[in-house]
Amino acid sequence: MTLPLVPVPTRLQWHQGAPVSLDQSVKVRAPHHLAPAVAGMLGIAEQHIMTTDGAWASGQDQPSCAVVLSETTGDGEGYVLRAGDGVVALTGSRMGLLRGLATVVQLRDLAAPGAPAGQVPAVHIEDEPRLAVRGLMIDVARHFFGVASIKRVLDLMAAYKFNVLHLHLSDDQGWRIEVPSRPELTERSGGTEVGGGPGGFFTVADYQEIVEHAAVRGIEVVPEIDMPGHVNAAQHAIGALNDSGEPAEPYTGIEVGFSKLSLANPATAAFIDEVLAHLAAITPGEYLHVGGDEVHQMPREEYREFARHLALAARRAGKKPQLWGEAAVAELPAGTRVQLWDSNADHAPVVAAARAGAGVVLSPGDRVYLDMKYHQGYELGLDWAGYVQVRDSYDWDPAQYAEGLPPEAIEGVEAALWTETLSREEHLFTMLLPRLVAVAEVGWSAQEQREWEDFASRARAHAPLWEDGGYAYHRSTQVF
Ligand code: TNX
């Protein structure tokens, strides 16, 4: 008997024992700090959670609990789950418990063969991720998506054990994060987007709400300010960032590669430091993404110098730098993360940077750019990397993607959702589902355990969960 879990766990054994019923009034015993995650992920009221530091929230007698979370030390994401005869017991570090909770939810909500949903079957699971980073990038610059939409994205990510949300916060078409010392950024460029729509931006409080919703679910937010290209919105807001000293015209088209900053302009370095210091201050995660892609009109030497400047600026702000693959040609400080994306490019510079010590996150356009059309004629999306069917997102091995890439340099995989053609929340989820869950399994599950037909049948079983959650999805004929 197989259960349709996604991502497929490392080890699963059935055993004799009665399934455990988990309804809305189930009692959960958990460390105090996990109560919001338990409530949010299992969808139960916080007063049903008995915290291990003794306090039973509503003051009743301590009940026996059907779900028991035991926290161990360490920061790994592995967990052990034993279910049967009235108890679901989860053991792991804080992160491990969060990943295990996602499994409990799937065990409860995906009906086991011959059993009703709402019951966790008697199983023993040991599980741990293949790759440390399992991310999703959302472009809120081309079209803006607000806090409520991003929280729904985070809920979906948590359900499939993702741990990094990368927010692309600035581009030619808009600036999406409040910088209190530079109010003109959002005042002038927060209200523009592709196609002339209303745009929008995150206040500091909005951003913190996102960071908190993510943190509760064990997801790190990596904010990106894209430089030295993709900067028209900044140059529209701040005239001093242009060589002319005059503000650029707003831009609402979808061409790339035409705008750039210059370090010869003394305003540039100060701008970079100020923005990154602010972003670092409001971001608890370790990384700042500083862009580096598609600067089509900059001489190579100037580009190399700029990319290095950006990486060092991120470090000065107290964070580790992450940059798009082009930046691999620069001399980057130790601890820099390079993000391979352009499936049409030569990967040799990224491979060389990895050999020199950079970490690599794989976001190959032909596999995990979830803004690519599913097939010819599909109404949403772009096609520069080709069509990306669900199977394309699933059927590849990160260790084999770029020839010569040392396996130990591969930190993880990150799907990307660019939004030139996506203007509504429904569009986001239609592009994400089912491909996002394919990427989840690529990042989490061992290569030997993955098989396309098996995945497709498991993924199919998840559609009712997406429907219950109000998530739009594409009924790909490869899966349905
Ligand atoms: C390339 S990926 C870009 C983005 C576009 C995307 C569309 C990357 C680093 N740059 O500016 O939005 O393609 O798929």
Side-chain angles (χ1 to χ4, degrees):
M1 259 194 297
T2 59
L3 292 167
L5 297 173
V6 177
V8 62
T10 313
R11 272 176 294 281
L12 181 149
Q13 286 174 326
W14 292 84
H15 63 79
Q16 301 299 322
V20 188
S21 284
L22 298 186
D23 60 15
Q24 297 281 296
S25 59
V26 65
K27 307 290 183 290
V28 180
R29 187 179 172 90
H32 182 70
H33 62 272
L34 285 175
V38 170
M41 292 177 71
L42 290 181
I44 61 172
E46 281 205 36
Q47 70 257 28
H48 291 139
I49 303 165
M50 187 179 82
T51 55
T52 29
D53 32 307
W56 170 240
S58 57
Q60 300 137 308
D61 292 337
Q62 294 203 349
S64 65
C65 293
V67 181
V68 178
L69 275 60
S70 310
E71 186 172 359
T72 58
T73 54
D75 54 9
E77 293 177 284
Y79 64 92
V80 174
L81 183 158
R82 287 174 186 280
D85 296 326
V87 179
V88 178
L90 264 186
T91 309
S93 68
R94 172 176 178 270
M95 285 295 176
L97 291 173
L98 294 172
R99 305 306 164 229
L101 272 175
T103 304
V104 173
V105 172
Q106 289 192 17
L107 289 169
R108 179 192 67 184
D109 295 346
L110 298 162
Q119 295 201 334
V120 173
V123 288
H124 177 191
I125 293 174
E126 287 174 33
D127 198 12
E128 62 190 12
R130 174 184 182 184
L131 297 172
V133 172
R134 299 159 323 273
L136 171 63
M137 188 220 71
I138 303 281
D139 168 14
V140 291
R142 270 54 175 273
H143 281 101
F144 181 66
F145 293 89
V147 174
S149 296
I150 300 299
K151 283 184 173 175
R152 281 170 56 69
V153 168
L154 283 164
D155 293 345
L156 193 61
M157 291 173 69
Y160 293 99
K161 302 182 170 66
F162 282 87
N163 62 0
V164 171
L165 173 68
H166 165 180
L167 289 174
H168 184 77
L169 292 168
S170 69
D171 213 299
D172 291 316
Q173 299 85 349
W175 185 280
R176 307 300 179 205
I177 180 72
E178 178 190 15
V179 181
S181 67
R182 302 275 184 146
E184 60 277 34
L185 284 169
T186 43
E187 278 165 12
R188 287 178 54 83
S189 289
T192 49
E193 65 183 355
V194 167
F201 66 91
F202 300 125
T203 62
V204 170
D206 290 339
Y207 180 78
Q208 285 169 332
E209 197 176 329
I210 291 170
V211 164
E212 174 65 16
H213 196 84
V216 160
R217 289 157 182 75
I219 297 172
E220 176 176 335
V221 173
V222 175
E224 177 188 356
I225 298 298
D226 200 353
M227 297 175 283
H230 293 273
V231 290
N232 190 75
Q235 292 179 318
H236 170 59
I238 301 176
L241 294 175
N242 300 291
D243 295 340
S244 66
E246 296 300 320
E249 291 297 315
Y251 181 71
T252 58
I254 65 167
E255 294 302 312
V256 298
F258 60 87
S259 60
K260 61 172 178 177
L261 296 172
S262 162
L263 284 173
N265 177 345
T268 303
F271 170 79
I272 294 170
D273 284 341
E274 204 172 312
V275 168
L276 295 187
H278 168 61
L279 220 50
I282 60 175
T283 301
E286 275 192 300
Y287 283 86
L288 289 185
H289 201 306
V290 286
D293 59 315
E294 298 178 316
V295 209
H296 294 157
Q297 332 226 342
M298 192 179 273
R300 184 182 158 91
E301 261 322 298
E302 185 184 346
Y303 175 78
R304 293 183 72 229
E305 189 198 333
F306 211 126
R308 178 172 166 78
H309 181 94
L310 289 171
L312 293 173
R315 294 210 72 113
R316 273 199 302 283
K319 300 292 184 182
K320 294 182 179 172
Q322 182 166 338
L323 295 100
W324 295 110
E326 287 95 322
V329 300
E331 194 189 320
L332 299 169
T336 300
R337 192 182 265 173
V338 173
Q339 188 165 4
L340 181 155
W341 67 274
D342 189 351
S343 40
N344 300 325
D346 176 9
H347 303 312
V350 172
V351 170
R355 292 209 170 123
V360 175
V361 168
L362 293 168
S363 299
D366 56 352
R367 298 294 182 178
V368 302
Y369 263 37
L370 306 187
D371 63 315
M372 292 298 118
K373 292 177 182 294
Y374 284 92
H375 55 74
Q376 188 177 17
Y378 192 74
E379 56 276 27
L380 301 169
L382 304 175
D383 61 7
W384 66 260
Y387 304 118
V388 176
Q389 298 260 32
V390 183
R391 186 169 185 165
D392 296 312
S393 291
Y394 186 79
D395 236 348
W396 64 291
D397 179 358
Q400 305 294 325
Y401 186 81
E403 204 183 325
L405 194 61
E408 63 279 7
I410 303 174
E411 295 187 18
V413 294
E414 185 176 292
L417 190 57
W418 301 94
T419 59
E420 286 94 332
T421 66
L422 313 176
S423 57
R424 303 210 309 260
E425 187 184 289
E426 177 195 335
H427 297 160
L428 294 184
F429 294 115
T430 304
M431 297 308 260
L432 290 174
L433 294 170
R435 292 181 293 194
L436 185 69
V437 303
V439 182
E441 188 154 305
V442 170
W444 181 277
S445 305
Q447 194 66 21
E448 317 79 72
Q449 282 188 283
R450 303 206 290 114
E451 199 276 314
W452 161 253
E453 295 295 342
D454 175 60
F455 168 77
S457 71
R458 281 181 288 115
R460 190 178 317 137
H462 287 240
L465 307 189
W466 306 335
E467 284 162 18
D468 286 351
Y471 290 104
Y473 64 97
H474 171 57
R475 288 192 72 85
S476 163
T477 54
Q478 291 190 327
V479 173
F480 295 96

